[in-house]
Amino acid sequence: MITAFKFVSAPSGLRILETGKTRVTQFTALNDTVEGLPNIIWPTDPAAVDAMANYIVTANSEADVTPEERKDALSKIRSMISNANSPLFQHLTNRMFQNSLARKYGVISLSRRIESPLMWAHYADVHNGMALEFEDGLVDAQPMEVVYRQKRPQVRAELGRSLDDLEFFRVKSPDWQYEHEVRHMLKLEHTELLTKTDRKGHSMHVVPINFSCLRSVAFGCDYDPDILDQTQDALKAYPSVLYFEAELDPQFYRVSRRLLG
């Protein structure tokens, strides 16, 4: 059985268990600012520039555009592409790519590691929260193991890249390797949009989770004991779920679990 852990604060964990729904987070709302932000390389060869300018103008022209208007548009687009590899323009187009991704997709992030003090500190309210253990299959989307690489993904603009090529959006910097992340990527059109926003103003989307995949709940080593009762009340219909208490290893910088009750 392959499982992964959703690290959350106690209030967020209870909300997931009580509502049966979890958030699907847009790439622009994630902690890593370069999530879903490949480097777009624009053509420099004159023939490739002309071909791309023609494609852009043709794809965006109205049916009744005059030859003069088309010629003027081609000139402007060629000029833009010729300067597109400047740092400022690259940054702007990369962000446009990321924003277009964020309007279409969101992710549910989990970790393969339960023993990492960093995960408990960063994502479970400094060891006051909980880790929900799910077997793969908690939502209707295949899990993707995140790949950690030094080099950012590169996209050649003239070749294009489909937003439906999900494999492309699972690459992160090795600085994040401690997360051992596995993620589910979903189209936002298939999620429920909430009326509230998060603290940074991002819209919030949720999806139902498959409770038959919930295997255990582990509480951080500094958790409030009252949370245990509230969690068990929320999960009365799922008696097979196990409950653990996290413990700091006395010799090493790692977290272990002790079965409760």
Side-chain angles (χ1 to χ4, degrees), residues 88-159:
L88 177 59
F89 193 89
Q90 276 194 326
H91 180 73
L92 291 174
T93 53
N94 290 350
R95 286 296 183 197
M96 288 172 62
F97 186 96
Q98 185 188 50
N99 288 333
S100 66
L101 174 70
R103 287 192 295 271
K104 188 173 183 179
Y105 287 106
V107 298
I108 301 172
S109 297
L110 301 96
S111 172
R112 294 294 188 198
R113 296 186 65 196
I114 186 68
E115 71 275 10
S116 169
L118 277 175
M119 293 301 296
W120 283 98
H122 291 171
Y123 300 110
D125 190 23
V126 197
H127 298 263
N128 289 282
M130 61 179 76
L132 309 177
E133 182 183 15
F134 292 99
E135 186 176 349
D136 287 351
L138 79 157
V139 293
D140 187 21
Q142 288 298 314
M144 298 191 301
E145 305 287 341
V146 169
V147 177
Y148 302 94
R149 296 175 182 157
Q150 288 287 354
K151 292 186 177 180
R152 284 174 57 190
Q154 308 290 308
V155 174
R156 295 186 62 84
E158 67 268 31
L159 300 179

Side-chain angles (χ1 to χ4, degrees), residues 1-4 133-139 184 212-215:
M1 178 179 66
I2 301 176
T3 64
E133 182 183 15
F134 292 99
E135 186 176 349
D136 287 351
L138 79 157
V139 293
H184 300 266
S212 66
C213 292
L214 180 62
R215 292 292 169 260

